[in-house]
Amino acid sequence: MSARTLHREHKLSSKQSRKRSRTKDSNAAAKRKHRLPNGAVLRDAYRIKRVLGIGGFAITYLAHHVSLDHPVAIKEYLPDNLALRNEDSITVRPRLGAEQKFKWGLSRFTQEAQMLAQFSHPGIVPITDLFEANGT
């Protein structure tokens, strides 16, 4: 973030700041509604414990690798403007009319994970697995 951006944001009135905060809160609340439930199991290997973070295109979970008995982080592609979770609380589907954009984004998400898996650096979380499950 540039210093210019910081200065502009600092000048927001308290009313604008509250409005922006409410928008972020409502977006996060909508995303939480579409998160995987705690206890969900992926690939018979990973049990979801809780949400670590919610962003515009993904949700990151703290999970437990069942057979290796250690914690892992799982990042799930779930762009809030392109997809939502079905009533079963597990399966993801693109929003009507957003199928192509969703597939394109999922492809880029996968490519990014494949690229990051090539690196070994203390500032980059190691990628140990990549899989598609439940439509995402």
Side-chain angles (χ1 to χ4, degrees), residues 11-20 22:
K11 284 187 166 183
L12 290 176
S13 71
S14 60
K15 184 177 180 180
Q16 288 172 315
S17 180
R18 284 191 304 272
K19 184 177 179 181
R20 185 174 279 181
R22 279 194 304 270

Side-chain angles (χ1 to χ4, degrees), residues 75-92:
K75 189 170 187 177
E76 178 185 35
Y77 175 69
L78 187 62
D80 49 2
N81 61 335
L82 299 178
L84 46 89
R85 201 169 299 283
N86 284 340
E87 293 76 31
D88 66 3
S89 299
I90 302 294
T91 310
V92 171

Side-chain angles (χ1 to χ4, degrees), residues 53 62 68 85 88 120 126 129:
L62 173 64
L68 296 178
R85 201 169 299 283
D88 66 3
S120 177
D129 198 358

